[in-house]
Amino acid sequence: MVDELPVASVRLVGVLPHLDRPFEYAVTPETAAAGPGMRVRVRFSGKDTEGIVLERRAEPTTDRALAPLHRLVSEDVVVPPAMMRVCEDVAARSAGTVGDVLRLALPPRHARAEKADRAAEQKEAEQREAEQREREEQDEELEEKEHDPDAAGESVAPSSDRSSSELSPSEPSSSEPSPSEPMIRPGDRYAGLSALLARAGSPTGPVPRALLTLDAADAWTAVAADAIGDLGPDQGALVIAPDQRDVARLSRVLAERGIAHEILAGTEGPEKRYRTFRRILRGATRIVLGNRSAAFAPVQDLALAICWDEADDLLEEPRAPYPHTRTVLQCRSAEERCALLFLSASESVPLRALSEAGYLARLEPLPAPVTVVRPRIVAMDQYLRDREGPSGRSRLPQEAMRVLRRGLAHGPVLVQVPRSGYVPAIACTFCGTRAQCPHCSAPLSLTGRGGPLHCRVCGRREDGYRCPECDRTQVRAMVIGSARTAEELHRAFPDVPLKVAGGAHGALEDDEVPDRAVIVATPGAEPAPASRYSACLLLDADAMLGRAAFDADVEAIRRWRNAIALVRSAEDGGEVLVVGTATLPAIRELVAHRSSVFLDRVLRDRAELDLPPFRRVAEIVGDREACRGFLEAVELPDGTAVFGPVDLEGPDAGGRARAVVRIEPSRSRELTAALRAGVAARSARKAKGSLRVRMDPPDVF
């Protein structure tokens, strides 16, 4: 052991829940450089285990002999104390372990990337030293000239006939552009954004946090770039977007403005990702972009965290302890005192609840004509349907064709459909029973025009299908996919370029959208051309609202508004047609401009039904006996409502059960603490069966 601070407190990564606590190890001369936040390897339960040093101590807290630190992996402080506190807070909120959160926060170490970045860091340091020496030499030369009487008497000949002193401040030279009125940036249209940025990174006072629902005419990339550009040169920013294409779009905008930044993405290889992580760690850049995996990026002097479209399901972590990106950013804002800004095209229910609770401020736009801030939005109401006669009840009415023709005369047109494929869901024409595979019970679908019924799970071809309810053989389409929609539009517009985005067709890049073309896309797969779309069709609106989820209407509005945000304003000829039942509240909300009637009603309904966000909910899923035994053993807080456990159904159920517990938000910490203790106790006694605990799962109801 070393003489100075010979004891290291270590937090292990990825251990069992009942071992999720600090352990003490002896510091050896070989590991004497180990300090808080550094990676080490220790022997634990006979295995070589990764750990993070929490602190160095002079005395141990136990009388037992301490095992030595096996190896110091790197002298990089990969988890600063503030980030460790963030990980502990995320674990407490998610009813998980700190070790699992650390596994989410830290990319795997890559020795070659670390070596290359150390060499680059040394080269940059040498270059800075050389520049500093050059500046000092120039300063010395200037000082010598000032004290040299011969040099002081020398005059410099003017470079032109007219001296610069003859140019008055009010008389610009012919080579300079004449002054003009300053352009109003998209970020300047939202009152309060400048105040939030002025308070960003302030060490005192309340931490500014806000939500901003953008008008369709304002690109989120421009607003985010405006906010980043207004930060000080020594302030850091972190921007999280759901999709890698969103990250690439913002990166292009920042590059055009000359703002240096890094992209920390999960799609990069291990070497590139770790090198980027280390550049961020040492402060080579203070602006970081990324998706869900970048929420823990160690940005130095973090002053502003921006999250685009936080309701997107891509921001839900699929690995234990399943924290939402919103939760991670909230913990970072509280611990690092960074401003927090949520940008979206459609306000989500959780953000509205946080706003009404006073946690988030709402930044409203300055008044402007509706035709300037969004396209013209029309729903197929009863008048339009009656005017067309029988075709008004079809999936592609004549009004939709007219919108397509008008739009194609001025630019590309977007057609959004709920699902990919040809006919992804079919049902009996007589009784409406959904057609399922008799072998695995998965939905049957059509893969082409005139093709047989096909199962997408087991691959079974069903030629002699009969309805199990009424024994009939005729089926109809429940949902029309993007491939079938593209086929119908190609027959109507054979000379127009047509592209399909999403599903089996893959992504379509923004610069691959032809001018005056039809783009058929599923929600989230829409490319964003620089010139924007001249028109948009939102097809099968009723089918999107009919999803089997309690938030289907809110999610449908979010997907529709994200598509509408890609369309030109009404002043520039942009128009949107919604093909669905115009009297439905969600469609009326879409047509209305900045109305809060729909979301207010949703919040009232959820409050009456004790649904999130007015209740914190936990889901316990596992083997039937494990789930029941856990509920019997865990000591839940008083007032906790327990539903279940009930046996899961379906081909993958396999004797598994599910239970749901909920409690009022003010006591959520009590619930998460009880669940963590229950999972740890179950792990300590090595109980049989698998079990999973998730807080606030999106698909709980």
Side-chain angles (χ1 to χ4, degrees), residues 422 448-449 482-492 498 500 520:
Y422 194 79
R449 185 176 180 84
S482 57
R484 172 67 180 271
T485 303
E487 181 182 286
E488 295 176 359
L489 293 176
H490 181 66
R491 290 200 300 267
L498 191 144
V500 181
V520 181

Side-chain angles (χ1 to χ4, degrees), residues 453-465:
L453 300 183
H454 181 78
C455 177
R456 293 171 292 170
V457 176
C458 66
R460 178 188 177 98
R461 172 173 168 164
E462 190 63 29
D463 292 318
Y465 175 79

Side-chain angles (χ1 to χ4, degrees), residues 215-244:
D215 284 329
D218 297 326
W220 79 272
T221 53
V223 176
D226 290 344
I228 293 172
D230 289 344
L231 294 176
D234 58 342
Q235 291 182 315
L238 173 64
V239 183
I240 302 298
D243 192 87
Q244 191 59 31

Side-chain angles (χ1 to χ4, degrees), residues 39 50 73-78 106-115 117-118 264-265 268-281:
R39 269 185 168 129
E50 182 182 8
V73 177
S74 172
E75 295 186 13
D76 291 337
V77 180
V78 294
L106 294 176
R109 178 177 177 264
H110 198 284
R112 186 170 58 192
E114 183 175 319
K115 181 179 179 181
D117 190 64
R118 285 188 187 277
L264 185 64
E268 299 175 339
E271 181 175 359
K272 184 178 180 182
R273 177 173 171 77
Y274 194 76
R275 187 167 182 177
T276 303
F277 174 82
R278 198 175 182 281
R279 283 179 54 81
I280 298 169
L281 191 65

Side-chain angles (χ1 to χ4, degrees), residues 50 129 151 156 306 383 406 478 513 515 595 640 653:
E50 182 182 8
E129 291 177 0
V156 179
I306 299 176
Y383 169 75
R406 288 195 298 266
M478 293 179 64
V513 177
D515 189 26
S595 170
T640 303

